[in-house]
Amino acid sequence: MTIVVRYFAAARAAAGVEEEKVQLAAGASVADAVAELARLHPAGLPRLLEAVSYLLDGIAVRDLTRPLRDGAELDVLPPFAGG
């Protein structure tokens, strides 16, 4: 399956791209996608992925075992400061 990953702020800088399509095996979870992102961008992204939040099709993800569907959009949001 293919998902679209969008990076914001520091995650965008660490990945070096704003958006990309990522190929995953059928039945993959958000955790599987995160592991693939770390593999694709080993220089700066893996450490940041430990602190980010995720939105899956616009909804906050709390459970990384949540399954993905083909065509899903996964947003990678680094911690934000301020209020």
Side-chain angles (χ1 to χ4, degrees):
M1 81 172 94
T2 303
I3 66 167
V4 175
V5 179
R6 299 185 307 173
Y7 300 96
F8 294 86
R12 179 184 305 155
V17 295
E18 182 175 330
E19 178 178 303
E20 66 184 330
K21 292 183 179 180
V22 177
Q23 297 288 323
L24 299 167
S29 67
V30 173
D32 296 324
V34 171
E36 181 64 6
L37 298 179
R39 188 190 71 75
L40 290 171
H41 305 284
L45 198 55
R47 198 170 95 196
L48 186 65
L49 291 173
E50 296 173 11
V52 301
S53 299
Y54 301 97
L55 296 179
L56 181 58
D57 295 326
I59 299 171
V61 174
R62 306 268 186 260
D63 179 6
L64 296 184
T65 65
R66 186 171 171 186
L68 297 168
R69 63 167 181 78
D70 188 48
E73 288 186 351
L74 183 66
D75 295 338
V76 180
L77 307 168
F80 293 98

